Amino acid sequence: MGSGMNVCVVGLGYIGLPTAAMMALAGHDVVGYDVDPRVLRALADGAAHVKEKPVRALVVKALRSKKLTLSSEIPAGSQAYVLCVPTPTIDHKPDLSFVQSASAAVAAVLNPGDLLIVESTVPPGTMDRVVVPALRAAGVDPDSVAIAHCPERVIPGAIVKELRENARVVGGRKPGDAEQARALYASFTSGAINTTDTMTAELVKVIENTYRDINIAFANELALLSEELGVDAHEAIALANQHPRVNILSPGPGVGGHCIPVDPHFLSNANPFVTELIQTARRINERMPHVVVRRIVEHVAARDGAIVAILGAAYKANVDDTRESPTERVEELLRERGYLTRVYDPVAERYRGELAASLEDAVRGADALVLMVGHDAFAAIDPVAIAPLLRRRLLIDTRAFLPAARWAAAGYDVYTLGGKRRDPLHFVTAS
Ligand code: SAJ
């Protein structure tokens, strides 16, 4: 079954679109379906909405080969249906309506022996509690088809490479289901494919992102503690990471994106009483935008017309995605306190707030420059060249990204989150 299947990918977003293209280029006949006609129209016009260049190249190639076609209906007659629909949260509670409606739509065309795969990240138990009931409600006997959960694991910024190379975990509902799904993945990925049951696969995906959230929370906690001790947290973390069994992530202004701030809630919702560590990590990371704002307030009074220029609207470096970006929260908190804000991001295109047209527009008359994201493009900013535009030379670097010595030499006061403070709190031990 490894090659030459008829496959339908449901949901052509960040994951579905490159996955569909990759399967098509591996020799399958793939139909890409999306509920949003604008997505289909844009793709037909050659404008993939995923901005990563390798993804665009892959999609163009797959469409040209005609092995990937687009449809505004879920076609009957596919042998495999792969669901890549979003699972957002509303007030920290998972919204599984897209998984539910996509499962119901696929159920209407499923035939005995077909394979249904869910790639969307879901709370443990969703396959049994949402997907299978949707099939039953449509009159499909779930035992007559193969059902698997194969969570996507690719990182925005390196989607194509990771789609090709990452290990996959495939959870099957009954004996044989995972094997059927494994054969499909083996045709286009080179990483290990590990099989298990659906509930374990659901849990594995969510614990991966939760582990990262907890690790970042630890780094953020260390940053704040180090500031009080008068130690550079970045140096301390780098030194600790020399140990063969230590790998601490980097502190920053908060955790954004549509995955890591969301998925830990899938676990804590399952049982709030045994997930204290998970909840605490979430709180620490959610507090980071407040910490950034407090540091700004310490340096610049919110007098009338104080302007804060913010570098970076994306949720992380070199991606255009601004979902759950810490910048949104920082901007909101600053405005509540009476600051004027301007945000500059040469990578992001869509942002909830307004984006300045240029770096110069953003920094003109500013009382502080706050770096929120380490885009490569920001490394080229010349502190001397922009100095005359600023009202005050103050750099607040929340990622320890810009070369502090160079900015200080250009006459800037530099504050680095987690950096060595000149005025640490001195601890006095009772003797
Ligand atoms: N961040 C830090 N410090 C760090 C690393 C990240 O503050 O050391 C921040 C980033 O700036 C960003 C947020 O965390 O705001 C999340 O970024 P990320 O690069 O850690 O992760 P995502 O959301 O882009 O992708 C994650 C990945 N999960 C893991 O690495 C375990 C990816 O593999 C998943 O497929 C993806 O979530 C997903 O879709 O679930």
Side-chain angles (χ1 to χ4, degrees):
M1 187 180 66
S3 64
M5 287 177 80
N6 291 322
V7 182
C8 172
V9 174
V10 178
L12 299 176
Y14 272 74
I15 302 302
L17 184 58
T19 302
M22 202 159 270
M23 289 195 292
L25 293 171
H28 302 288
D29 287 294
V30 182
V31 176
Y33 162 83
D34 201 287
V35 273
D36 187 345
R38 288 169 305 178
V39 169
L40 295 173
R41 261 199 311 274
L43 282 170
D45 292 343
H49 50 283
V50 180
K51 295 284 175 278
E52 280 181 44
K53 283 204 185 92
V55 174
R56 300 185 86 124
L58 199 75
V59 170
V60 167
K61 200 167 161 197
L63 287 170
R64 280 207 187 122
S65 75
K66 305 262 189 288
K67 295 293 275 184
L68 172 61
T69 52
L70 306 170
S71 171
S72 55
E73 277 170 29
I74 298 179
S78 295
Q79 294 153 287
Y81 295 86
V82 183
L83 268 53
C84 302
V85 294
T87 45
T89 46
I90 300 171
D91 294 334
H92 297 163
K93 299 271 183 296
D95 169 11
L96 300 172
S97 57
F98 298 109
V99 172
Q100 205 279 334
S101 56
S103 302
V106 168
V109 295
L110 267 187
N111 288 314
D114 287 351
L115 170 63
L116 170 62
I117 296 174
V118 175
E119 283 215 12
S120 315
T121 303
V122 290
T126 301
M127 295 300 289
D128 284 344
R129 285 192 219 123
V130 177
V131 177
V132 168
L135 299 194
R136 283 211 175 94
V140 174
D141 172 7
D143 293 336
S144 72
V145 292
I147 298 174
H149 178 53
C150 180
E152 63 84 11
R153 289 164 135 176
V154 296
I155 195 139
I159 291 177
V160 170
K161 180 175 184 293
E162 293 212 346
L163 260 184
R164 220 171 251 140
E165 295 172 8
N166 280 5
R168 305 287 310 221
V169 54
V170 179
R173 177 171 171 268
K174 57 181 170 27
D177 290 5
E179 283 309 319
Q180 220 170 309
R182 177 216 284 266
L184 176 59
Y185 287 99
S187 68
F188 69 98
T189 66
S190 60
I193 300 171
N194 302 299
T195 54
T196 180
D197 57 87
T198 49
M199 182 77 117
T200 305
E202 291 169 325
L203 185 66
V204 166
K205 164 66 202 222
V206 181
I207 62 180
E208 287 166 0
N209 280 354
T210 303
Y211 162 76
R212 201 159 166 85
D213 198 41
I214 292 170
N215 194 334
I216 297 168
F218 182 50
N220 284 332
E221 190 163 286
L222 289 178
L224 303 188
L225 180 66
S226 301
E227 285 187 4
E228 296 197 353
L229 295 173
V231 170
D232 181 344
H234 303 276
E235 182 191 356
I237 289 172
L239 291 173
N241 284 350
Q242 296 290 312
H243 186 288
R245 283 173 297 283
V246 174
N247 185 15
I248 306 168
L249 290 168
S250 305
V255 171
H258 55 293
C259 305
I260 300 207
V262 172
D263 296 358
H265 294 294
F266 290 180
L267 294 179
S268 48
N269 277 319
N271 188 334
F273 300 104
V274 298
T275 49
E276 276 176 63
L277 175 65
I278 295 168
Q279 294 171 59
T280 303
R282 229 13 353 260
R283 275 199 299 276
I284 291 170
N285 289 335
E286 278 174 1
R287 205 181 291 144
M288 289 314 289
H290 294 263
V291 171
V292 171
V293 168
R294 195 183 319 144
R295 296 293 183 268
I296 294 169
V297 171
E298 280 165 15
H299 288 88
V300 187
R303 57 180 166 68
D304 279 349
I307 298 173
V308 178
I310 298 175
L311 298 178
Y315 80 91
K316 67 173 186 177
N318 305 318
V319 300
D320 68 326
D321 198 335
T322 59
R323 281 176 290 178
E324 308 284 329
S325 151
T327 298
E328 283 183 353
R329 190 77 187 112
V330 164
E331 202 187 8
E332 190 176 60
L333 292 168
L334 285 172
R335 289 189 168 207
E336 279 170 14
R337 284 160 183 74
Y339 293 88
L340 298 176
T341 54
R342 297 202 203 115
V343 181
Y344 174 62
D345 193 311
V347 184
E349 281 170 15
R350 270 166 301 176
Y351 175 60
R352 202 177 60 182
E354 216 178 298
L355 288 180
S358 67
L359 174 66
E360 289 70 25
D361 282 357
V363 304
R364 195 166 289 118
D367 298 274
L369 205 57
V370 180
L371 182 125
M372 291 288 289
V373 181
H375 286 323
D376 289 347
F378 291 153
I381 296 176
D382 181 352
V384 177
I386 61 167
L389 295 172
L390 296 160
R391 184 149 63 189
R392 181 169 159 212
R393 294 182 198 187
L394 169 64
L395 171 67
I396 295 178
D397 185 348
T398 69
R399 301 269 186 183
F401 176 75
L402 293 170
R406 183 171 169 222
W407 284 71
Y412 289 74
D413 288 327
V414 180
Y415 160 79
T416 306
L417 182 72
K420 196 170 186 149
R421 285 182 80 133
R422 263 174 284 157
D423 54 348
L425 294 183
H426 291 287
F427 287 83
V428 180
T429 32
S431 54

